[in-house]
Amino acid sequence: MRILTWLQATSDQLHIGNYFGAVKPMIELAEKFKDAEIFLFLAIMHSFNNIQDPVALRKNAINVLKLYAACGADLNRFMIFNPADVPGHAQLNRVLSCITNMWFMERMHTYKEALDKGKTKEINIWVFCYPILMAADILLYDTDLVPVGKDQKQHLEFARDIAMKFNNAFGETFKIPKPYIQEDVGLIIGIDGRKMSKSYNNYIWLLDDEKTILKRVKQIPTSALTVEEPKNPDECNVYKICKLFLTPEEDETLRKRYQAGGLSYKDAKEYTYEKIIALVQPIQEKYAKISDQDIIDLLAKNAKIVNKIATKKIEDVYKKIGFSL
Ligand code: ADP
Ligand code: TRP
C-alpha cells in the first residue's frame, strides 16, 4: 500500500503547534501503517502563489526537514522528495487540466473562500487550478491512501473523479485513491490563548533556548484567583498548553490539583516549563547533529527513485492519449 502525504515549510522554524498538529500525527501515521510505503513531499511548489524570496524558500525547506528528523521522523522510513525534482507533476497537471472543466474548479471551496474574502484581484490562475495539481500529485504515484483534513476532502474527491474520467475515456491508467481522514488534533493555543501561529508572536519554537521558553511561559496570562481558590483547568491557558505534554495519569493529577485549590499559577507554569524542556531538549540535540548536506543528499537520492515511478506513469498516460508517437 502506498500513502502520499506532504509537509509545509512556511518558515525555517517549527513551533509547538506545528509539532502537535503536524509532526506528531505524521510520526503516528507511520506507526499505524507499518507496512505501507509513505511518500512525503515538500510543498514547495504548492505554496508558491506569489512573488517570494527563493533563498528563504530553500532555507525553510531544508531546516524544516532537519526539524522533522530531529523530532523523530525516520527519514529513511518516509520517501521524502521535492516535486520540483519530478517533471511528472507538471506534465500530469497539464494533461489533467485539459479534461477539467472550468465550472468544476469554480465549485472548489478554496477558490470560493478566496472570492468570499473579496480577494478577486489577488486570486491568481494558480489558486484557481490548485486542485488539479493536487490530483496530479496523487495520481502520479498510484497512491492508495491520502491523509487529509476535512477541509481537503473536496479536493480528494476531485482527484478521484478526474481519475475515473480519464480511465473511462482512455482505459485503466490511474488507481482511485481513498481519503484517510485524520483525527482532528484541534488547535494548539499560543501563549496569548489564540491559535499558536508564527503570525501572532504567541509561539514557542522547538529551537528556543531555556531562557526564552521560561520567559514565554511566564507571559501566559492567568486569572486573579488566589493560590487557595479552586480553579477550573479548562479555563486556564497554562493548563491547556501543559496538558499536551502529559500522560493521562499526569493529566488526571494536575486537574485534581487545579480543582482542589492550593496550586499557584507560578507552580503550574514551572511544571509546564519543565515539560516543554523535556520535549525540546532531545530535539535540539538531534537537530544539531543533522547537516544541511544530509538533507540535500537525501532529496537527491529520493528524486531518482520517485522519478522512475513518475516517468513510467507519464509514459503510460502519453501513450494512452496519443502524445507519444
Ligand atoms: P502557522 O500558523 O504558524 O503559519 P503553518 O500554517 O505553517 O503554521 O502550519 C504548518 C502545519 O502545522 C499545518 O499542517 C498546520 O495544520 C499545523 N499547525 C500550525 N499551527 C497549529 C496549531 N496552532 N495547532 C495545531 N496545528 C497547527
Ligand atoms: N492541498 C493540500 C492541503 O492544503 C496539500 C496538498 C497538495 C496535498 N497536494 C497534495 C495533500 C497531495 C495530499 C496529497 O492540505
Side-chain angles (χ1 to χ4, degrees):
M1 181 172 65
R2 187 172 289 156
I3 298 176
L4 176 79
T5 187
W6 66 299
L7 66 82
Q8 224 174 346
T10 50
S11 133
D12 66 345
Q13 294 266 358
L14 289 180
H15 52 62
I16 284 172
N18 299 139
Y19 176 81
F20 286 103
V23 185
K24 201 162 165 252
M26 190 176 294
I27 295 171
E28 285 166 356
L29 182 83
E31 281 162 11
K32 182 166 178 179
F33 294 96
K34 277 199 171 59
D35 301 324
E37 265 183 297
I38 305 185
F39 278 30
L40 172 61
F41 70 87
L42 261 167
I44 286 191
M45 293 161 87
H46 299 71
S47 56
F48 185 64
N49 53 17
N50 220 317
I51 308 294
Q52 53 192 32
D53 176 2
V55 178
L57 206 62
R58 184 171 186 279
K59 184 167 165 249
N60 293 351
I62 290 173
N63 232 31
V64 163
L65 281 180
K66 282 167 70 176
L67 276 162
Y68 264 75
C71 288
D74 175 359
L75 297 194
N76 296 313
R77 169 76 177 86
F78 297 98
M79 178 58 67
I80 296 182
F81 67 98
N82 177 1
D85 293 332
V86 189
H89 288 258
Q91 290 169 314
L92 189 54
N93 187 3
R94 165 75 170 78
V95 172
L96 297 180
S97 299
C98 297
I99 58 165
T100 303
N101 295 329
M102 287 276 285
W103 70 267
F104 220 87
M105 287 297 100
E106 280 164 3
R107 289 173 36 210
M108 293 290 143
H109 67 81
T110 32
Y111 169 65
K112 285 207 304 206
E113 270 165 29
L115 281 184
D116 289 346
K117 283 184 190 151
K119 293 190 174 170
T120 338
K121 283 199 179 141
E122 291 139 56
I123 301 173
N124 57 31
I125 299 287
W126 164 238
V127 171
F128 185 68
C129 299
Y130 181 82
I132 310 177
L133 177 65
M134 183 163 161
D137 298 335
I138 296 168
L139 302 178
L140 195 54
Y141 298 107
D142 286 333
T143 305
D144 295 284
L145 214 57
V146 186
V148 280
K150 286 196 191 89
D151 63 322
Q152 292 297 314
K153 247 186 103 187
Q154 191 191 27
H155 289 164
L156 194 76
E157 271 155 22
F158 169 71
R160 289 166 57 86
D161 287 348
I162 203 77
M164 288 188 236
K165 186 173 178 182
F166 189 99
N167 287 351
N168 285 337
F170 299 105
E172 234 18 64
T173 310
F174 296 119
K175 210 171 212 180
I176 310 301
K178 289 203 180 78
Y180 171 66
I181 304 291
Q182 277 180 304
E183 219 177 286
D184 194 358
V185 285
L187 283 185
I188 311 302
I189 61 159
I191 58 167
D192 60 357
R194 290 188 291 170
K195 170 191 182 252
M196 187 178 287
S197 170
K198 62 178 166 297
S199 325
Y200 296 151
N201 191 17
N202 64 354
Y203 42 76
I204 296 173
W205 296 128
L206 295 175
L207 297 181
D208 270 344
D209 60 25
E210 294 182 4
K211 231 172 96 190
T212 310
I213 295 177
L214 187 61
K215 199 173 106 202
R216 300 296 260 172
V217 173
K218 280 185 179 167
Q219 283 169 346
I220 304 173
T222 46
S223 76
L225 292 172
T226 62
V227 174
E228 291 72 32
E229 280 176 288
K231 300 169 185 71
N232 180 354
D234 298 318
E235 285 173 4
C236 175
N237 287 339
V238 181
Y239 169 77
K240 285 185 198 164
I241 294 178
C242 190
K243 80 168 180 200
L244 297 166
F245 301 84
L246 304 181
T247 62
E249 296 75 33
E250 288 171 328
D251 185 30
E252 185 64 27
T253 311
L254 184 63
R255 289 185 71 82
K256 284 194 180 133
R257 286 181 69 199
Y258 264 84
Q259 287 154 350
L263 174 72
S264 71
Y265 286 125
K266 186 171 171 287
D267 285 351
K269 285 183 175 180
E270 181 70 24
Y271 184 54
T272 306
Y273 164 75
E274 281 165 14
K275 288 289 176 191
I276 298 175
I277 295 297
L279 173 81
V280 301
Q281 225 165 31
I283 292 177
Q284 296 185 1
E285 281 163 18
K286 259 190 168 174
Y287 173 84
K289 292 187 189 135
I290 308 166
S291 72
D292 287 8
Q293 197 58 44
D294 292 339
I295 301 296
I296 293 164
D297 292 345
L298 180 74
L299 288 173
K301 183 180 109 200
N302 290 354
K304 285 193 189 136
I305 300 170
V306 291
N307 252 313
K308 259 195 202 146
I309 301 170
T311 307
K312 216 167 139 225
K313 182 60 74 184
I314 293 297
E315 278 171 7
D316 185 24
V317 168
Y318 277 12
K319 219 161 76 205
K320 292 236 170 70
I321 57 179
F323 279 9
S324 299
L325 303 179

PDB file of all heavy atoms in Angstrom, residues 8 10 15 17-18 21-22 185-188 195-199, ligand 1:
ATOM      1  N   GLN A   8       4.678  21.122   4.987  1.00  0.00           N
ATOM      2  CA  GLN A   8       4.755  22.522   4.611  1.00  0.00           C
ATOM      3  C   GLN A   8       5.985  23.151   5.261  1.00  0.00           C
ATOM      4  O   GLN A   8       6.317  22.820   6.393  1.00  0.00           O
ATOM      5  CB  GLN A   8       3.528  23.209   5.213  1.00  0.00           C
ATOM      6  CG  GLN A   8       2.828  24.147   4.328  1.00  0.00           C
ATOM      7  CD  GLN A   8       1.560  24.627   5.026  1.00  0.00           C
ATOM      8  OE1 GLN A   8       1.112  24.066   6.015  1.00  0.00           O
ATOM      9  NE2 GLN A   8       0.978  25.674   4.493  1.00  0.00           N
ATOM     10  N   THR A  10       6.759  26.828   5.708  1.00  0.00           N
ATOM     11  CA  THR A  10       6.465  28.242   5.501  1.00  0.00           C
ATOM     12  C   THR A  10       7.341  29.140   6.378  1.00  0.00           C
ATOM     13  O   THR A  10       7.150  30.346   6.416  1.00  0.00           O
ATOM     14  CB  THR A  10       4.974  28.544   5.777  1.00  0.00           C
ATOM     15  OG1 THR A  10       4.643  27.988   7.043  1.00  0.00           O
ATOM     16  CG2 THR A  10       4.081  27.937   4.719  1.00  0.00           C
ATOM     17  N   HIS A  15       7.010  25.518  15.515  1.00  0.00           N
ATOM     18  CA  HIS A  15       6.619  25.789  16.905  1.00  0.00           C
ATOM     19  C   HIS A  15       5.876  24.579  17.476  1.00  0.00           C
ATOM     20  O   HIS A  15       5.635  23.582  16.777  1.00  0.00           O
ATOM     21  CB  HIS A  15       5.822  27.094  17.024  1.00  0.00           C
ATOM     22  CG  HIS A  15       4.633  27.206  16.099  1.00  0.00           C
ATOM     23  ND1 HIS A  15       3.563  26.352  16.150  1.00  0.00           N
ATOM     24  CD2 HIS A  15       4.367  28.078  15.090  1.00  0.00           C
ATOM     25  CE1 HIS A  15       2.671  26.706  15.236  1.00  0.00           C
ATOM     26  NE2 HIS A  15       3.138  27.749  14.567  1.00  0.00           N
ATOM     27  N   GLY A  17       2.850  24.219  18.220  1.00  0.00           N
ATOM     28  CA  GLY A  17       1.597  23.951  17.492  1.00  0.00           C
ATOM     29  C   GLY A  17       1.865  23.090  16.263  1.00  0.00           C
ATOM     30  O   GLY A  17       1.113  22.158  15.965  1.00  0.00           O
ATOM     31  N   ASN A  18       2.932  23.383  15.554  1.00  0.00           N
ATOM     32  CA  ASN A  18       3.308  22.572  14.395  1.00  0.00           C
ATOM     33  C   ASN A  18       3.666  21.152  14.840  1.00  0.00           C
ATOM     34  O   ASN A  18       3.334  20.175  14.167  1.00  0.00           O
ATOM     35  CB  ASN A  18       4.534  23.143  13.659  1.00  0.00           C
ATOM     36  CG  ASN A  18       4.334  24.536  13.116  1.00  0.00           C
ATOM     37  OD1 ASN A  18       5.221  25.374  13.203  1.00  0.00           O
ATOM     38  ND2 ASN A  18       3.170  24.804  12.552  1.00  0.00           N
ATOM     39  N   GLY A  21       0.419  19.475  15.872  1.00  0.00           N
ATOM     40  CA  GLY A  21      -0.594  19.498  14.811  1.00  0.00           C
ATOM     41  C   GLY A  21      -0.143  18.855  13.515  1.00  0.00           C
ATOM     42  O   GLY A  21      -0.975  18.470  12.696  1.00  0.00           O
ATOM     43  N   ALA A  22       1.162  18.743  13.291  1.00  0.00           N
ATOM     44  CA  ALA A  22       1.621  18.210  12.003  1.00  0.00           C
ATOM     45  C   ALA A  22       2.692  17.125  12.152  1.00  0.00           C
ATOM     46  O   ALA A  22       2.575  16.056  11.562  1.00  0.00           O
ATOM     47  CB  ALA A  22       2.151  19.364  11.136  1.00  0.00           C
ATOM     48  N   VAL A 185      -6.652  16.988  15.540  1.00  0.00           N
ATOM     49  CA  VAL A 185      -5.902  17.209  16.787  1.00  0.00           C
ATOM     50  C   VAL A 185      -6.360  18.485  17.490  1.00  0.00           C
ATOM     51  O   VAL A 185      -6.004  18.738  18.622  1.00  0.00           O
ATOM     52  CB  VAL A 185      -4.373  17.317  16.550  1.00  0.00           C
ATOM     53  CG1 VAL A 185      -3.774  15.975  16.274  1.00  0.00           C
ATOM     54  CG2 VAL A 185      -4.053  18.319  15.476  1.00  0.00           C
ATOM     55  N   GLY A 186      -7.174  19.260  16.792  1.00  0.00           N
ATOM     56  CA  GLY A 186      -7.639  20.513  17.373  1.00  0.00           C
ATOM     57  C   GLY A 186      -6.541  21.561  17.289  1.00  0.00           C
ATOM     58  O   GLY A 186      -5.406  21.266  16.893  1.00  0.00           O
ATOM     59  N   LEU A 187      -6.889  22.736  17.654  1.00  0.00           N
ATOM     60  CA  LEU A 187      -5.906  23.823  17.565  1.00  0.00           C
ATOM     61  C   LEU A 187      -5.098  23.915  18.843  1.00  0.00           C
ATOM     62  O   LEU A 187      -5.648  23.889  19.940  1.00  0.00           O
ATOM     63  CB  LEU A 187      -6.634  25.150  17.344  1.00  0.00           C
ATOM     64  CG  LEU A 187      -7.145  25.392  15.940  1.00  0.00           C
ATOM     65  CD1 LEU A 187      -7.734  26.782  15.832  1.00  0.00           C
ATOM     66  CD2 LEU A 187      -6.021  25.219  14.918  1.00  0.00           C
ATOM     67  N   ILE A 188      -3.799  24.018  18.691  1.00  0.00           N
ATOM     68  CA  ILE A 188      -2.945  24.215  19.849  1.00  0.00           C
ATOM     69  C   ILE A 188      -2.886  25.724  20.092  1.00  0.00           C
ATOM     70  O   ILE A 188      -2.645  26.502  19.151  1.00  0.00           O
ATOM     71  CB  ILE A 188      -1.517  23.676  19.571  1.00  0.00           C
ATOM     72  CG1 ILE A 188      -1.552  22.262  18.981  1.00  0.00           C
ATOM     73  CG2 ILE A 188      -0.647  23.774  20.820  1.00  0.00           C
ATOM     74  CD1 ILE A 188      -2.235  21.206  19.787  1.00  0.00           C
ATOM     75  N   LYS A 195      -4.905  30.714  18.562  1.00  0.00           N
ATOM     76  CA  LYS A 195      -4.203  29.628  17.875  1.00  0.00           C
ATOM     77  C   LYS A 195      -2.714  29.951  17.827  1.00  0.00           C
ATOM     78  O   LYS A 195      -2.344  31.077  17.469  1.00  0.00           O
ATOM     79  CB  LYS A 195      -4.760  29.525  16.455  1.00  0.00           C
ATOM     80  CG  LYS A 195      -3.953  28.602  15.561  1.00  0.00           C
ATOM     81  CD  LYS A 195      -4.387  28.744  14.099  1.00  0.00           C
ATOM     82  CE  LYS A 195      -3.604  27.796  13.227  1.00  0.00           C
ATOM     83  NZ  LYS A 195      -2.617  28.293  12.353  1.00  0.00           N
ATOM     84  N   MET A 196      -1.870  29.010  18.216  1.00  0.00           N
ATOM     85  CA  MET A 196      -0.434  29.278  18.111  1.00  0.00           C
ATOM     86  C   MET A 196      -0.085  29.407  16.635  1.00  0.00           C
ATOM     87  O   MET A 196      -0.407  28.537  15.827  1.00  0.00           O
ATOM     88  CB  MET A 196       0.396  28.170  18.759  1.00  0.00           C
ATOM     89  CG  MET A 196       1.871  28.523  18.803  1.00  0.00           C
ATOM     90  SD  MET A 196       2.956  27.311  19.606  1.00  0.00           S
ATOM     91  CE  MET A 196       2.571  27.502  21.325  1.00  0.00           C
ATOM     92  N   SER A 197       0.554  30.511  16.300  1.00  0.00           N
ATOM     93  CA  SER A 197       0.881  30.733  14.894  1.00  0.00           C
ATOM     94  C   SER A 197       2.073  31.666  14.795  1.00  0.00           C
ATOM     95  O   SER A 197       2.231  32.570  15.621  1.00  0.00           O
ATOM     96  CB  SER A 197      -0.314  31.371  14.179  1.00  0.00           C
ATOM     97  OG  SER A 197       0.071  31.793  12.887  1.00  0.00           O
ATOM     98  N   LYS A 198       2.873  31.444  13.762  1.00  0.00           N
ATOM     99  CA  LYS A 198       4.029  32.345  13.618  1.00  0.00           C
ATOM    100  C   LYS A 198       3.574  33.762  13.276  1.00  0.00           C
ATOM    101  O   LYS A 198       4.325  34.709  13.434  1.00  0.00           O
ATOM    102  CB  LYS A 198       5.017  31.816  12.577  1.00  0.00           C
ATOM    103  CG  LYS A 198       4.469  31.692  11.185  1.00  0.00           C
ATOM    104  CD  LYS A 198       5.562  31.216  10.253  1.00  0.00           C
ATOM    105  CE  LYS A 198       5.004  30.758   8.929  1.00  0.00           C
ATOM    106  NZ  LYS A 198       4.092  29.598   9.026  1.00  0.00           N
ATOM    107  N   SER A 199       2.326  33.906  12.847  1.00  0.00           N
ATOM    108  CA  SER A 199       1.829  35.241  12.507  1.00  0.00           C
ATOM    109  C   SER A 199       1.420  36.034  13.741  1.00  0.00           C
ATOM    110  O   SER A 199       1.160  37.222  13.654  1.00  0.00           O
ATOM    111  CB  SER A 199       0.610  35.147  11.585  1.00  0.00           C
ATOM    112  OG  SER A 199       0.724  34.070  10.718  1.00  0.00           O
TER     113      SER A 199
HETATM  114  P1  ADP B   1       1.467  28.911  11.155  1.00  0.00           P
HETATM  115  O1  ADP B   1       0.010  29.061  11.558  1.00  0.00           O
HETATM  116  O2  ADP B   1       2.366  29.140  12.304  1.00  0.00           O
HETATM  117  O3  ADP B   1       1.821  29.759   9.950  1.00  0.00           O
HETATM  118  P2  ADP B   1       1.628  26.729   9.286  1.00  0.00           P
HETATM  119  O4  ADP B   1       0.410  27.199   8.568  1.00  0.00           O
HETATM  120  O5  ADP B   1       2.947  26.839   8.622  1.00  0.00           O
HETATM  121  O6  ADP B   1       1.671  27.394  10.745  1.00  0.00           O
HETATM  122  O7  ADP B   1       1.347  25.209   9.711  1.00  0.00           O
HETATM  123  C1  ADP B   1       2.102  24.082   9.348  1.00  0.00           C
HETATM  124  C2  ADP B   1       1.365  22.863   9.871  1.00  0.00           C
HETATM  125  O8  ADP B   1       1.238  22.904  11.292  1.00  0.00           O
HETATM  126  C3  ADP B   1      -0.044  22.719   9.317  1.00  0.00           C
HETATM  127  O9  ADP B   1      -0.227  21.350   8.970  1.00  0.00           O
HETATM  128  C4  ADP B   1      -0.954  23.099  10.450  1.00  0.00           C
HETATM  129  O10 ADP B   1      -2.124  22.334  10.448  1.00  0.00           O
HETATM  130  C5  ADP B   1      -0.136  22.779  11.693  1.00  0.00           C
HETATM  131  N1  ADP B   1      -0.395  23.804  12.719  1.00  0.00           N
HETATM  132  C6  ADP B   1       0.039  25.080  12.704  1.00  0.00           C
HETATM  133  N2  ADP B   1      -0.367  25.751  13.802  1.00  0.00           N
HETATM  134  C7  ADP B   1      -1.085  24.880  14.530  1.00  0.00           C
HETATM  135  C8  ADP B   1      -1.795  24.973  15.775  1.00  0.00           C
HETATM  136  N3  ADP B   1      -1.803  26.098  16.480  1.00  0.00           N
HETATM  137  N4  ADP B   1      -2.442  23.893  16.215  1.00  0.00           N
HETATM  138  C9  ADP B   1      -2.442  22.729  15.509  1.00  0.00           C
HETATM  139  N5  ADP B   1      -1.797  22.574  14.332  1.00  0.00           N
HETATM  140  C10 ADP B   1      -1.119  23.620  13.838  1.00  0.00           C
END
